[in-house]
Amino acid sequence: MTVPASSTVAKTWRSLNLILFAALLIAGCARLKQCAYEGFNRDRWQQPDKVISALHLQPGNIVADLGSGGGYFTFKLAQAVAPTGKVYAVDIDREMVALIGERAKTEAPSIVEAILAKPDDPALPATGVDVIFTANTYHHIDNRVTYFANLRRYLRPGGKVAIIDFDRRAWLEGLMRHYTPAEFIQREMEQAGYVLQQDLDFLDRQSFLIFTVKVR
């Protein structure tokens, strides 16, 4: 039986429309997820400029943004280490990694590199990084003592780990148990082989702790 050309064309158009719709849906989901990561009025309470300043980054530094999500801090970190530095945007969410990868092509092609990590390994380059930075991710990590103990191999000499996470003051995140008390973070990081270098207190619902590797 011969299928009319018009019928074939119609089926082809339907297929193309379905593919286009699926692509738009996926893109839309990624953007919605990005908004969920970043929250509402985040700049007001997150104080990103003050956070970046506290890290004392220099041009040429290499930074890992651990749990980069939609890239809220990634591109701010990139500005701080430009023009010769590097920022690895690390996440286990494939959609977010793809989103940052696309954005990096236009905003920071030589600086930002997206990495799809494993739940127990950020898969950073063996050459290492100067700073491992993580914001609002610590409470999601399983087996944190082991995880951060293994992270020491990625830190260059004199490197540091900066951890921002919601604490008991964040009532909404507290209801969802998306927080970690600062004393828990400090205890676990000490068990993982780090010492507290700085405890910054300017954030109103998060702790901000900076650690260095303990000298044996």
Side-chain angles (χ1 to χ4, degrees):
M1 181 177 68
T2 302
V3 178
S6 59
S7 177
T8 301
V9 171
K11 288 180 179 179
T12 301
W13 273 110
R14 281 198 296 271
S15 298
L16 289 173
N17 284 333
L18 285 171
I19 293 170
L20 179 60
F21 176 76
L24 289 172
L25 183 62
I26 291 170
C29 286
R31 293 294 179 183
L32 286 172
K33 192 181 292 185
Q34 180 185 25
C35 291
Y37 277 123
E38 295 185 1
F40 298 102
N41 299 317
R42 183 172 177 181
D43 284 355
R44 182 178 58 79
W45 53 264
Q46 188 63 87
Q47 303 185 62
D49 292 340
K50 201 168 181 179
V51 167
I52 298 297
S53 177
L55 296 174
H56 301 294
L57 297 172
Q58 301 294 325
N61 281 162
I62 302 175
V63 181
D65 184 5
L66 190 65
S68 51
Y72 178 83
F73 272 111
T74 301
F75 294 91
K76 296 176 177 65
L77 293 166
Q79 291 174 359
V81 303
T84 55
K86 191 81 173 178
V87 176
Y88 296 107
V90 182
D91 210 294
I92 61 172
D93 189 319
R94 189 178 298 273
E95 288 182 348
M96 293 296 96
V97 170
L99 191 70
I100 289 182
E102 285 301 312
R103 183 178 170 187
K105 290 177 183 178
T106 58
E107 293 189 30
S110 63
I111 300 176
V112 172
E113 180 179 333
I115 294 178
L116 181 63
K118 299 176 181 178
D120 61 349
D121 186 357
L124 292 168
T127 48
V129 299
D130 299 301
V131 178
I132 294 175
F133 173 83
T134 181
N136 309 334
T137 298
Y138 189 88
H139 60 270
H140 289 297
I141 298 172
D142 293 327
N143 304 313
R144 292 189 291 251
V145 172
T146 299
Y147 183 90
F148 280 92
N150 291 336
L151 239 59
R152 295 203 312 262
R153 72 180 186 272
Y154 292 120
L155 276 179
R156 292 179 166 187
K160 56 190 178 184
V161 179
I163 300 173
I164 294 176
D165 204 8
F166 294 110
D167 58 24
R168 293 187 180 94
R169 294 170 295 171
W171 67 270
L172 180 59
E173 288 76 15
L175 289 175
M176 299 184 292
R177 297 192 177 277
H178 286 181
Y179 76 102
T180 315
E183 61 270 24
F184 287 21
I185 297 174
Q186 184 173 349
R187 182 178 67 240
E188 291 169 358
M189 290 297 287
E190 288 173 351
Q191 292 172 356
Y194 298 85
V195 292
L196 181 66
Q197 181 188 64
Q198 200 170 6
D199 182 351
L200 298 153
D201 61 1
F202 59 83
L203 298 173
D204 67 10
R205 66 195 69 182
Q206 298 158 300
S207 60
F208 184 3
L209 307 176
I210 298 177
F211 298 88
T212 56
V213 176
K214 184 178 181 179
V215 178
R216 305 262 178 204

